[in-house]
Amino acid sequence: MAAKTHRTAAHPTVLSTRALNRATLDRQLLLRRSAMSAKDAVAHLLGLQAQNTKPPYFQLYARLTDFDPEELSALMESREVVRIVTLRSTLHTHTADDALTLRPLVQAARERELKTFRRGLEGVDLDRLAAVAEELVVERPRPVKELREELLAHWPDADPLALTVAARCLLPLVQVTPRGMWGRSGQVALTTVEHWLGRPAEPVPAPDATVLRYLGAFGPASVMDFQAWAGLTRTKEVFERLRPRLLTFRDERGVELFDLPDAPRPDPGTPAPPRFLPDFDNLLLGHADRTRVIPAVNKGRNGVGNQAYGSVLIDGFFDAVWRVERDGGTAILTVQPLRNLVRDERAEITEEAARMLTAMTDATDHDVRFGTFLDYGD
């Protein structure tokens, strides 16, 4: 039974944290796996966080039925998806179409990032730097170290890191294959998205369509949620412009939430099976207020320092971390719960872990354990 969503302008419906959880999991394809293709899923989710090479594959495994990692790898090889810095100044795997539109949309955020490196760029003509860098990477994809050395030859007094960051901020650079491919990968080599795809970037689009797509994948959501996801500011006017087309709700703190009228909002009691998410899954980063997925007591507990680990959703919420190690031909997956688990929860988690190890590793033997590997220093 769907959750009630009737409201009036004076008294919008209040959605509980659990109701928001189930709605978001449904949009994220995590209440039940979807039969859509990997390419369609990447488009629906508006990209996959890709700071590391393996997480995009595990993100899709958690969401799609019968997912084969080679499907995403083949899309990368055929240039139907690419790895490019977009949302929150972070590397994402996007469809080619989204890479050509989302990058211009968030360019203002890249320019803000560039300002933090201005001391290392004193005396550097940024327009000339962009032109020099583009000529270099279009001639052939350049490893980061090589690009840095070439730029230093032009600006020997500049900070080397600032020069490469500037090139990344000024130009829409993609990481070319085999980087990021399943079981192969390679060093980072960069060229422009237009050169790699053989077509020009789109003009900077109005953000309206992206807001609607975001709500379809992450809603119901607030203005601040969208801004946190996109790394943009001052988008309230966009939501006001779209208000006549949207429903509005409130969360338990009174924050106004927007949503698509026909989007799913399941009953809060809908079962949510355990899901193993990789480090930096966009579900965990897609809102300013993340309590719809991350209980307040578990904030910041999916890693220590600069080391992040996978997150386990239990009854829809982040309540355990996980990691995989190899011991010869055996893949050992360790789950560290962040609360006491009942017997049925342990059994379901073990079954899901075993399925994932079978699908996502080449190990001949699998071992699922519950234990402690993270010391939070509490």
Side-chain angles (χ1 to χ4, degrees):
M1 182 177 70
K4 293 182 178 179
T5 57
H6 299 297
R7 48 87 179 174
T8 66
H11 301 286
T13 296
V14 174
L15 295 177
S16 68
T17 299
R18 194 175 181 85
L20 290 173
N21 174 272
R22 292 313 196 250
T24 306
L25 292 184
D26 199 340
R27 322 264 176 110
Q28 285 284 307
L29 316 178
L30 289 166
L31 269 188
R32 62 196 65 81
R33 285 185 165 90
S34 170
M36 69 173 59
S37 69
K39 183 178 179 179
D40 287 345
V42 173
H44 169 73
L45 298 166
L46 287 96
L48 308 171
Q49 185 104 348
Q51 285 169 264
N52 298 319
T53 58
K54 289 185 178 180
Y57 295 91
F58 283 87
Q59 290 176 63
L60 291 180
Y61 172 78
R63 291 166 167 87
L64 302 181
T65 57
D66 302 319
F67 172 66
D68 181 351
E70 290 296 339
E71 183 182 359
L72 179 60
S73 202
L75 291 170
M76 296 183 65
E77 193 165 31
S78 63
R79 308 188 188 188
E80 295 176 74
V81 304
V82 298
R83 292 165 57 83
I84 183 172
V85 173
T86 52
L87 310 166
R88 304 181 301 280
S89 297
T90 303
L91 193 67
H92 280 72
T93 295
H94 287 294
T95 64
D97 288 343
D98 278 348
L100 292 168
T101 55
L102 280 178
R103 173 57 192 248
L105 179 64
V106 299
Q107 181 58 31
R110 303 294 71 72
E111 292 168 3
R112 289 199 306 272
E113 179 188 5
L114 184 56
K115 291 179 181 178
T116 66
F117 290 86
R118 60 185 180 277
R119 287 188 179 180
L121 295 168
E122 290 181 4
V124 176
D125 182 326
L126 295 181
D127 288 338
R128 181 165 172 253
L129 185 151
V132 170
E134 182 171 13
E135 182 178 354
L136 287 168
V137 299
V138 166
E139 180 184 28
R140 59 181 172 81
R142 302 275 179 163
V144 175
K145 182 175 183 292
E146 183 180 328
L147 177 60
R148 180 184 299 122
E149 290 172 349
E150 292 281 359
L151 294 175
L152 271 173
H154 290 269
W155 294 279
D157 296 327
D159 176 71
L161 175 61
L163 287 174
T164 51
V165 169
R168 188 191 72 172
C169 289
L170 295 168
L171 298 173
L173 298 178
V174 297
Q175 294 187 358
V176 305
T177 53
R179 180 69 176 177
M181 295 181 66
W182 186 253
R184 281 161 278 179
S185 200
Q187 68 176 335
V188 175
L190 304 169
T191 190
T192 65
V193 67
E194 296 99 329
H195 182 69
W196 187 243
L197 298 178
R199 51 190 170 120
E202 301 291 332
V204 179
D208 301 46
T210 302
V211 167
L212 295 175
R213 290 180 64 195
Y214 168 78
L215 293 175
F218 291 88
S222 69
V223 174
M224 293 301 294
D225 287 331
F226 173 77
Q227 292 183 168
W229 168 80
L232 296 175
T233 60
R234 301 178 182 179
T235 63
K236 184 176 180 180
E237 65 179 26
V238 181
F239 282 81
E240 291 302 325
R241 186 163 60 242
L242 292 171
R243 184 181 290 273
R245 300 170 56 181
L246 302 174
L247 295 181
T248 57
F249 302 92
R250 297 278 176 181
D251 67 15
E252 293 175 325
R253 298 172 180 79
V255 175
E256 185 175 40
L257 306 173
F258 295 83
D259 204 9
L260 305 176
D262 58 352
R265 288 175 288 276
D267 188 287
T270 303
R275 291 286 186 260
F276 284 78
L277 304 183
D279 46 319
F280 306 118
D281 190 290
N282 272 356
L283 171 71
L284 306 174
L285 302 169
H287 303 86
D289 180 357
R290 299 170 182 174
T291 55
R292 70 178 65 195
V293 178
I294 304 175
V297 69
N298 290 338
K299 180 180 179 180
R301 296 177 72 87
N302 57 347
V304 172
N306 293 325
Q307 179 64 59
Y309 291 92
S311 301
V312 186
L313 300 184
I314 306 172
D315 189 29
F317 293 89
F318 163 53
D319 267 324
V321 290
W322 66 277
R323 71 175 183 183
V324 174
E325 299 174 296
R326 290 294 290 264
D327 182 4
T330 301
I332 303 169
L333 190 154
T334 304
V335 176
Q336 180 173 332
L338 302 179
R339 63 170 173 81
N340 292 328
L341 303 179
V342 301
R343 181 182 299 177
D344 287 349
E345 288 175 328
R346 283 178 174 261
E348 291 175 353
I349 290 168
T350 300
E351 291 174 5
E352 177 64 16
R355 285 193 292 267
M356 183 178 68
L357 290 175
T358 300
M360 300 296 287
T361 75
D362 60 0
T364 54
D365 294 302
H366 308 134
D367 185 3
V368 179
R369 304 173 180 177
F370 290 84
T372 300
F373 57 87
L374 258 182
D375 181 4
Y376 295 103
D378 294 342

